[in-house]
Every structure is written in C-alpha cells, then in structure tokens.
Amino acid sequence: MSAAFTIRQATAADRAVIGHHRVAMCLDIGTATPATASGLERATVAWLAQAMPSGEYLGWLATPAGHPEQVVAGAGVQLRRVLPFPQRHPDGRVDVAEGRQAIVVNVYTEPLFRRQGLARRLLESILTWARSVGLESLVLHAAPDAKSLYETLGFVTTNEMRYGGSLTRP
Ligand SMILES: CC(C)(COP(=O)(O)OP(=O)(O)OC[C@H]1O[C@@H](n2cnc3c(N)ncnc32)[C@H](O)[C@@H]1OP(=O)(O)O)[C@@H](O)C(=O)NCCC(=O)NCCS
C-alpha cells in the first residue's frame, strides 16, 4: 500500500511542517503540554532555519504520490560529533570510531495515515543514508508505540540513563 506514497528529502522550506511534526509527536507521547506547544513549534522552526542549511539536521517526508505538497509523515536526524569510541562490529571485531553519530528525531505519521508502513519507509531511508555517508552510530529514544518498529529495523536497547533531577541553577 505504501507504494502510493513518495519519500523525499526535506528542504529548509519544509521547516514549518517539521515543526508541526515535532510538536504533534511530543503531544502524542506526552512530553509536551498544550500550553508549551506553540513555544516549542516556534523554537523548533527557528532552530531548523539554521540547522538545515548547515547540514546539522536532515529530514525525510512522506507525501501521497502526485501530491508533493501534502506531507503526511516525517522523520529526521540531527548529526553530532561525539568523542571517539570503541566500536564493536556485528562480526565481533572492535575498532576506534571517530565519533560520527546521528540521533533520529521527529518520527511522526498523521493519524489518518498510520499503519501503512510510512514510518518504516522513512526509517529505511535514514538507514540507507546512514550507510551511504559512513555514519558510525545511529541512536534514538523510542516511544512505546514505536519500539517494535525500531526493533524490527535492527535497533537494540542500550544502557543509556538520563538525569532525572533539576539542572536549573538554584
Ligand atoms: C509510531 C508512529 C510513528 C508509527 O507510524 P506508522 O507510519 O503508523 O508506522 P508503520 O505503519 O510504518 O508501522 C510499522 C510497524 O510499527 C509497529 N507499530 C506502528 N504503530 C504502532 C502502535 N500504535 N502500537 C504498536 N506498534 C505499532 C507495528 O509493528 C507496525 O507494523 P504493522 O503495521 O505491520 O503491525 C505513529 O504511530 C506516530 O506518529 N505516533 C505518535 C508519535 C510517536 O510515537 N513517534 C515516535 C517517536 S519515537
């Protein structure tokens, strides 16, 4: 069924719809409140205005075939340079990675278009891109509804922890 949709790379002109995806995703998974939604959207669109032209953020969007203006799903990556790390390959070999990492973000499908394989296709596009640019590490934070999708694509649960206290200056 998803052949009826096209996956294309986002440009900076798509930043409004990516901002919408981010807010809708955060509301759906409960990390944003309606009161914070418009502020988050504004801040995201402003951030993308810098991060897309610089190449720090890359996005992929799904549109119905023949309707490139109607975006119904999206996903993106933020590229980041981390410290070199020991990298274990599937064959057991360990070498030193230079630190080319990306985090998958803003995975969102409009409710009417869910369960048609769009998020899967978007993630497959990201994996194809990651291999083509020689990325060394691809990470994400999985929402409950998306966990099995990520697992079937080869993502595994790690030991990452997050500080739960306040980092605001007293
Ligand atoms: C999670 C989400 C992105 C999935 O998008 P989608 O386009 O419907 O996903 P797909 O059709 O590609 O689904 C692929 C597989 O993921 C799993 N999946 C998708 N939605 C699911 C759900 N609500 N509950 C459990 N598993 C789900 C299924 O295994 C599905 O395969 P199947 O339809 O053959 O059973 C979408 O429901 C969404 O936008 N949710 C709100 C935001 C969110 O949680 N984003 C993820 C942040 S990490």
Side-chain angles (χ1 to χ4, degrees):
M1 187 177 305
S2 65
F5 296 89
T6 301
I7 306 293
R8 68 168 172 86
Q9 189 108 41
T11 72
D14 295 305
R15 57 191 189 276
V17 77
I18 298 170
H20 156 69
H21 286 166
R22 181 161 185 77
V23 169
M25 177 195 74
C26 290
L27 288 170
D28 262 19
I29 65 183
T31 56
T33 60
T36 55
S38 62
L40 175 63
E41 192 158 338
R42 261 196 316 277
T44 299
V45 172
W47 185 89
L48 290 168
Q50 307 235 319
M52 294 186 80
S54 74
E56 182 183 357
Y57 184 92
L58 298 174
W60 286 261
L61 302 173
T63 63
H67 295 276
E69 73 298 339
Q70 190 196 349
V71 176
V72 298
V77 295
Q78 181 184 359
L79 275 154
R80 50 198 197 181
R81 184 162 169 261
V82 297
L83 274 169
F85 57 91
Q87 172 145 270
R88 180 175 292 275
H89 296 272
D91 63 5
R93 196 168 40 89
V94 179
D95 58 16
V96 178
E98 288 175 22
R100 293 189 301 276
Q101 185 181 84
I103 181 165
V104 179
V105 289
N106 301 338
V107 179
Y108 182 75
T109 301
E110 296 290 353
L112 282 176
F113 294 89
R114 290 183 185 172
R115 304 309 281 262
Q116 298 185 56
L118 292 178
R120 180 180 298 284
R121 284 186 57 189
L122 288 161
L123 266 295
E124 285 169 351
S125 299
I126 289 175
L127 289 171
T128 300
W129 161 82
R131 291 187 184 103
S132 75
V133 297
L135 205 70
E136 297 165 308
S137 164
L138 187 63
V139 299
L140 54 77
H141 298 123
D145 283 357
K147 195 157 189 264
S148 71
L149 165 66
Y150 299 143
E151 284 171 345
T152 61
L153 287 165
F155 287 85
V156 294
T157 301
T158 68
N159 61 355
E160 183 173 302
M161 293 181 76
R162 183 191 301 266
Y163 181 58
S166 172
L167 294 172
T168 311
R169 240 187 270 192

